Amino acid sequence: MLMDYELNMSYITLDGHVELSKCRYLYFVIVFIAYILVICCNSIIICLIVIHKNLHEPMYIFIAALLVNSVLYSTNIYPKLLIDFLSEKQIITYSACLLQFFLFYGLSSSEFLLLAAMAYDRYVSICKPLQYPTIMKKTRVSTLLVLAWSVSACHVVVTVILITETKLCNFTIKAVFCNNAIYGLHCVQSRVIAIYGVVPLINLVMLPMLFIVYTYTKILIIVYRSCKEVRKKAAETCLPHLLALISYFCLSVYDISIARVESSLPKTARFIMTLQIVLYQPLFNPLIYGLKMKEISRHLKQSLCPTKII
């Protein structure tokens, strides 16, 4: 019991920063501005969806959920990063590190499931328009949202439990926050963790990706055979989802690559890749949906530049 307590109170050094003594204030300003932009941009669109009744449709509810996910994802990473930039030592307790790891991968994988739910919504809307109101009821939308967060959380929590049962021999990770570099702390690479690690990869990444490819293939077939108006509607609603999916998939490949080629990558390259993972997507989503979704864009313009009532 005492050993478990001491283990949880162990401090982990985050050794992924580059030229921190020289650039700490520059890093702080960049990440602070990015965090403010993430909170503001995502929150504005979430508020627009909540306020305007014509946006209370499944498609926009899923977009709001995706943006909430981005805010939570960023809040898990940014505040600690900002503290570390101004601190002499970049450390974190092992228990806090595990929590950050759980939230990072839980929220990351739930994004794939949310994108899959959005693809399903577009598939029903375009391929089965007459059945859409009966299929995409509030109860089904709520169920899909709950599953998106709960399924990913259940998968990742098993990984965290397995990690806590693995002995530590190293207390320094080559990262700026607790991601999959945490495996480098273990005395021996656990075969159980390595084998189980394939399960979330298949269930939370590969299967949603295959489902999304299938649904969009069906959509493209229907759209190709349809009139110009249907093609225009499909492009307006599907293109932002595809852009979000492609960008997020690329960033996920980045994160997996960091763990696989960590030893051969220069520290600066790892640092840049990691910052792209945490900076790019939370800012990309609100820009894509705010600019490309016609109804959201219209409400956004009205809010920022209200017309004068004569």
Side-chain angles (χ1 to χ4, degrees):
M1 192 73 179
L2 181 60
M3 285 183 65
D4 291 339
Y5 176 76
E6 289 176 350
L7 185 62
N8 287 333
M9 291 309 293
S10 300
Y11 282 93
I12 307 300
T13 300
L14 301 168
D15 189 34
H17 296 275
V18 175
E19 298 290 342
L20 188 57
S21 58
K22 296 179 181 178
C23 305
R24 67 173 68 245
Y25 297 111
L26 176 62
Y27 291 158
F28 181 88
V29 170
I30 292 171
V31 173
F32 180 75
I33 292 172
Y35 187 44
I36 295 298
L37 287 173
V38 166
I39 297 297
C40 291
C41 294
N42 285 280
S43 298
I44 287 170
I45 297 177
I46 292 167
C47 289
L48 287 175
I49 293 171
V50 171
I51 292 168
H52 297 284
K53 290 185 178 180
N54 68 321
L55 298 181
H56 292 180
E57 297 177 8
M59 177 174 63
Y60 299 110
I61 292 170
F62 287 130
I63 290 173
L66 197 68
L67 300 184
V68 168
N69 204 71
S70 293
V71 171
L72 295 174
Y73 173 90
S74 302
T75 303
N76 178 47
I77 304 296
Y78 283 56
K80 174 59 179 161
L81 265 181
L82 292 170
I83 292 169
D84 285 342
F85 289 149
L86 300 182
S87 302
E88 289 301 317
K89 293 183 179 180
Q90 292 70 49
I91 56 174
I92 185 172
T93 62
Y94 186 53
S95 55
C97 189
L98 289 174
L99 176 61
Q100 191 177 58
F101 175 94
F102 168 74
L103 291 173
F104 177 68
Y105 287 106
L107 293 168
S108 297
S109 54
S110 65
E111 184 134 349
F112 274 111
L113 296 177
L114 287 170
L115 288 168
M118 294 165 77
Y120 175 69
D121 173 71
R122 292 299 83 210
Y123 166 75
V124 177
S125 174
I126 294 169
C127 301
K128 300 180 179 180
L130 297 178
Q131 298 174 307
Y132 184 80
T134 56
I135 294 175
M136 296 305 294
K137 292 180 178 179
K138 288 183 179 181
T139 51
R140 177 158 295 187
V141 172
S142 301
T143 302
L144 289 172
L145 290 175
V146 170
L147 285 174
W149 279 303
S150 60
V151 170
S152 60
C154 290
H155 276 76
V156 179
V157 78
V158 174
T159 304
V160 173
I161 291 169
L162 292 173
I163 290 173
T164 57
E165 295 177 351
T166 307
K167 186 179 178 182
L168 303 184
C169 284
N170 181 25
F171 293 89
T172 301
I173 60 175
K174 298 176 181 180
V176 295
F177 64 91
C178 296
N179 56 5
N180 51 28
I182 198 173
Y183 297 129
L185 301 175
H186 301 157
C187 300
V188 180
Q189 295 301 314
S190 170
R191 289 186 64 186
V192 176
I193 293 176
I195 293 168
Y196 177 77
V198 179
V199 176
L201 184 63
I202 292 173
N203 291 345
L204 303 177
V205 179
M206 299 309 299
L207 289 180
M209 279 295 296
L210 289 173
F211 176 77
I212 292 167
V213 169
Y214 169 78
T215 54
Y216 277 105
T217 302
K218 296 284 284 185
I219 289 170
L220 287 173
I221 292 170
I222 295 293
V223 168
Y224 180 76
R225 296 172 181 172
S226 302
C227 63
K228 187 178 179 180
E229 190 65 29
V230 174
R231 291 178 189 176
K232 185 180 177 183
K233 179 186 175 183
E236 286 177 354
T237 59
C238 294
L239 185 60
H241 302 326
L242 283 172
L243 289 172
L245 174 67
I246 292 167
S247 67
Y248 195 67
F249 180 76
C250 292
L251 292 174
S252 298
V253 171
Y254 263 2
D255 185 62
I256 295 169
S257 301
I258 288 172
R260 296 291 178 268
V261 297
E262 180 183 346
S263 58
S264 60
L265 265 183
K267 189 175 182 180
T268 305
R270 288 200 309 270
F271 181 67
I272 293 170
M273 287 172 71
T274 304
L275 283 184
Q276 284 191 53
I277 292 169
V278 298
L279 290 173
Y280 183 62
Q281 191 66 16
L283 285 170
F284 185 74
N285 279 342
L287 289 175
I288 283 295
Y289 292 115
L291 297 175
K292 292 294 183 181
M293 298 299 288
K294 188 176 179 181
E295 285 299 313
I296 294 177
S297 179
R298 183 171 64 83
H299 286 298
L300 188 61
K301 288 175 182 176
Q302 287 178 352
S303 299
L304 296 176
C305 304
T307 55
K308 293 181 180 181
I309 301 174
I310 300 175

